[in-house]
């Protein structure tokens, strides 16, 4: 397994470095120094990569720390994947860095766009285009000049730098469509679905529905406690199975089954509420109990604080009914070796 992983990693790394290999120089080592004048693209991988000369092309760096010294120049694009990245020279194209920290020094300049994903980013030099930064902390130094716009994610510390375009945080951007209409549509579908499922359950197993309602009324605490244990036990089983490669498919199957059972449990809980409400009247209609229960629990669920708590209790009652019913079926099957046909 380890040998296969190593071969796969080597293949991926080779593919990633292929453009640089084909076009120009590829350097690998614990410490890589690119000095003098290099014509063509350069790909470097090492613990520390230092550029002190001129690269007439693109620079791709895969290493620990990356340093483009003051006076050094890369005429093309810089892509750096390392621990810390320091850009104190000139980049003629775009600069993109994924690192622990990224610094564009006072003497550094990026003629086109600058992008960084890091723990912290400092911009003290010049960016000829837009700057897009996603970091825990972004510092815009007094000497910084961004000729385009600045988009940042995380905390921005503006020490007086110049941004000629718009400065905006990612929280100001509409990255996803409004969720309220989607949630409303989903809620309507779930309401109709609960009604249809409730009618189907009552039609298919009317005696079980009556027994479920009686169980909830007579032993609410035991039923809710059983439901809580069933929910916690199922969640733990999914987690335990998911941590192993062999058990992952079983975890997915168990989770899908649990979601279906959870929906059934919620509907049985709503039915029990509707049947309890009808018990104070002269009406005795299972389908009417379904409608009353679904409507009542849905409407009361909009109440702040109390509503979600009420829905949780109703769900646990339904989960207890499903768990007790499953255990009863298991006991009957165990007693009758002939299977379900003899029950």
């Amino acid at each position: 397994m380890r040998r296969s992983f190593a071969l796969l990693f080597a293949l991926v790394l080779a593919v990633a470095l292929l453009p640089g290999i084909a076009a120009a120089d590829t350097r690998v080592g614990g410490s890589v120094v690119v000095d003098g004048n290099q014509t063509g693209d350069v790909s470097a991988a090492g613990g520390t990569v230092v550029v002190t000369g001129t690269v007439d092309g693109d620079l791709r760096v895969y290493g620990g720390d990356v340093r483009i010294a003051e006076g050094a120049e890369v005429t093309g694009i810089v892509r750096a994947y390392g621990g810390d990245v320091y850009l104190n020279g000139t980049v003629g194209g775009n600069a993109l860095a994924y690192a622990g920290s990224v610094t564009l020094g006072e003497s550094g300049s990026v003629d086109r766009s600058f992008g960084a994903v890091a723990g912290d980013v400092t911009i003290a030099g010049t960016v000829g285009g837009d700057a897009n930064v996603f970091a825990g902390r972004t510092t815009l130094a007094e000497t910084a000049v961004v000729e385009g716009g600045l988009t940042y994610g995380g905390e921005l510390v503006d020490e007086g730098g110049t941004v000629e375009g718009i400065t905006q945080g990612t929280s100001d951007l509409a990255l996803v469509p409004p969720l309220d209409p989607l949630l409303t549509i989903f809620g309507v579908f779930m309401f109709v679905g609960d009604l249809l499922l409730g009618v189907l359950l009552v039609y298919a197993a009317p005696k079980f529905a009556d027994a479920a309602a009686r169980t909830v009324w007579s032993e609410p605490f035991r039923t809710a406690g059983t439901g809580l244990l069933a929910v916690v036990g199922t969640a733990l089983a999914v987690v335990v199975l998911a941590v192993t490669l062999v058990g992952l498919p079983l975890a997915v199957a168990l989770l899908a089954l649990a979601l279906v059972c959870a929906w059934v449990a919620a509907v049985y809980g709503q039915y029990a509420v509707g049947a309890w409400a009808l018990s104070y009247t002269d009406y005795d209609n299972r389908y009417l109990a379904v409608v009353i229960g679904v409507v009542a629990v849905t409407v009361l669920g909009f109440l702040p604080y109390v509503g979600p708590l009420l829905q949780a209790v109703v769900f646990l009652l339904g989960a207890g009914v499903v768990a007790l019913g499953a255990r009863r079926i298991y006991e009957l099957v165990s007693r009758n070796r002939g299977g379900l046909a003899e029950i």
Side-chain angles (χ1 to χ4, degrees), residues 140-221:
L140 187 67
E142 183 179 1
T143 56
V145 176
V146 179
E147 298 179 5
L150 171 62
T151 301
Y152 65 92
E155 178 187 3
L156 175 64
V157 179
D158 189 351
E159 297 179 349
T162 302
V163 179
E164 297 182 3
I166 298 176
T167 300
Q168 57 185 350
T170 54
S171 59
D172 301 327
L173 303 176
L175 300 178
V176 296
L179 296 180
D180 288 344
L182 297 178
L183 292 176
T184 300
I185 294 174
F186 178 76
V188 171
F189 274 107
M190 286 303 302
F191 176 78
V192 176
D194 288 350
L195 288 175
L196 295 177
L197 180 59
V199 170
L200 179 62
L201 293 175
V202 167
Y203 176 78
K207 292 184 178 180
F208 182 84
D210 294 341
R214 288 194 300 269
T215 301
V216 170
W217 305 339
S218 60
E219 299 178 293
F221 294 103

Side-chain angles (χ1 to χ4, degrees), residues 245-264:
L245 185 61
V246 176
L248 184 58
L250 295 177
V252 174
L254 179 59
L255 180 60
L257 178 62
L259 292 176
V260 175
C261 290
W263 186 22
V264 173

